[in-house]
Amino acid sequence: IKSTSKKTLTATAMAPVSELYKSAEETSVLNDRDSQKKSYEIIRPSMITLKGVTSSEDDYEDKAAEKIKTGSKKENAALIGTMVHRLMEVLVSSACKVKVDEAISEIVRDYEADTKEYRDMLKKVADTILSGGFRQENGVAEDIINELLSADEIYCEFPFCYKEDENKIWNGVMDVVYRKNGNWHIIDYKTNYEANDLDVKYQNQLNAYIKAFKMMTGQDADALIYHIEV
């Protein structure tokens, strides 16, 4: 057996290159490109087409942090949105016990955006949130801090991943999920310049969060936008 194996290897090694290529072309396994096609799709709710619009300059959720750090800092809505999200996470997860100025300093350093403009913007957001919140038009609690801190359970930056079928995997992060009086609620922060009808604009995304939560926990939840004016 060893002798036959060596003879076969020698014959192959001595075969002309053209013959080897011809052999490869005639081999169905190597020729079949269908096996290289994606057999599944990963979908993030933030990638869903917005209802009634084709694009929005201040939609930032699906931008990578490294990309957010680059580009025009003064006009970068993506950077602003991400830093505001980070501030809200810090305030809620610390039950407002964190020193605001220190938190802001850490955030602007992390995103390489340590300017007076960004510090003042984040300070204004923090002051408003801690003194009653922003005015809302959709029925969500304006004093969002007290609403969240009085909840029975609360989760910030709640990750989810579930398989809808053989070809679809949903993956993303919910800003805040909390339970109060036996009911579950999902809050999605938005820093869009235009505040009107955000729940309609992002209806498909909110529905995706609701479905994801149901799939993962078996529990029903509602989902609303909390608009933060910057």
Side-chain angles (χ1 to χ4, degrees), residues 15-35:
V17 174
S18 59
E19 290 297 321
L20 293 177
Y21 275 115
K22 182 179 178 182
S23 176
E25 289 173 0
E26 293 173 351
T27 305
S28 60
V29 174
L30 296 177
N31 245 353
D32 184 9
R33 300 297 181 183
D34 289 338
S35 62

Side-chain angles (χ1 to χ4, degrees), residues 1-222:
I1 295 174
K2 289 183 180 180
S3 176
T4 304
S5 176
K6 287 181 180 179
K7 189 178 292 185
T8 303
L9 288 174
T10 303
T12 302
M14 294 176 63
V17 174
S18 59
E19 290 297 321
L20 293 177
Y21 275 115
K22 182 179 178 182
S23 176
E25 289 173 0
E26 293 173 351
T27 305
S28 60
V29 174
L30 296 177
N31 245 353
D32 184 9
R33 300 297 181 183
D34 289 338
S35 62
Q36 297 179 13
K37 295 178 181 178
K38 288 172 61 177
S39 60
Y40 63 90
E41 181 182 8
I42 296 178
I43 304 175
R44 297 180 180 85
S46 56
M47 296 168 63
I48 297 174
T49 302
L50 302 182
K51 190 169 182 178
V53 297
T54 55
S55 64
S56 177
E57 291 182 358
D58 53 4
D59 292 330
Y60 60 86
E61 292 180 36
D62 207 52
K63 296 182 184 292
E66 288 304 316
K67 291 183 179 179
I68 288 172
K69 291 180 182 180
T70 62
S72 174
K73 293 264 170 57
K74 299 294 183 184
E75 302 284 337
N76 198 336
L79 174 64
I80 291 172
T82 300
M83 290 196 297
V84 169
H85 268 61
R86 176 80 173 275
L87 177 63
M88 291 299 297
E89 179 189 1
V90 170
L91 291 175
V92 175
S93 61
S94 70
C96 297
K97 294 177 182 177
V98 68
K99 292 182 179 179
V100 172
D101 289 340
E102 291 181 4
I104 290 173
S105 292
E106 181 178 328
I107 291 169
V108 295
R109 283 198 305 268
D110 283 351
Y111 286 95
E112 300 173 12
D114 194 354
T115 67
K116 184 178 185 302
E117 178 186 3
Y118 286 137
R119 282 178 174 269
D120 289 347
M121 180 270 294
L122 291 174
K123 184 66 163 60
K124 181 180 177 182
V125 169
D127 289 345
T128 304
I129 285 292
L130 295 174
S131 60
F134 292 91
R135 183 178 178 181
Q136 305 294 310
E137 303 291 343
N138 61 350
V140 69
E142 294 184 0
D143 191 354
I144 192 67
I145 284 293
N146 280 332
E147 170 73 4
L148 294 175
L149 296 187
S150 63
D152 301 313
E153 293 181 66
I154 181 169
Y155 304 93
C156 295
E157 298 298 305
F158 182 81
F160 66 89
C161 185
Y162 75 91
K163 192 173 184 179
E164 183 175 10
D165 55 41
E166 289 302 316
N167 302 313
K168 254 182 206 180
I169 297 174
W170 287 83
N171 179 46
V173 177
M174 302 176 199
D175 293 337
V176 181
V177 176
Y178 71 101
R179 182 176 64 84
K180 189 172 183 179
N181 299 326
N183 298 313
W184 285 98
H185 309 281
I186 301 167
I187 297 295
D188 192 34
Y189 304 129
K190 295 295 183 190
T191 56
N192 300 52
Y193 179 77
E194 178 57 56
N196 296 327
D197 300 321
L198 289 180
D199 288 276
V200 175
K201 179 180 179 181
Y202 291 97
Q203 180 181 329
N204 292 334
Q205 290 184 18
L206 296 175
N207 289 342
Y209 292 141
I210 291 171
K211 184 174 181 179
F213 189 76
K214 177 74 171 180
M215 291 285 291
M216 291 177 65
T217 68
Q219 300 292 318
D220 293 317
D222 57 30

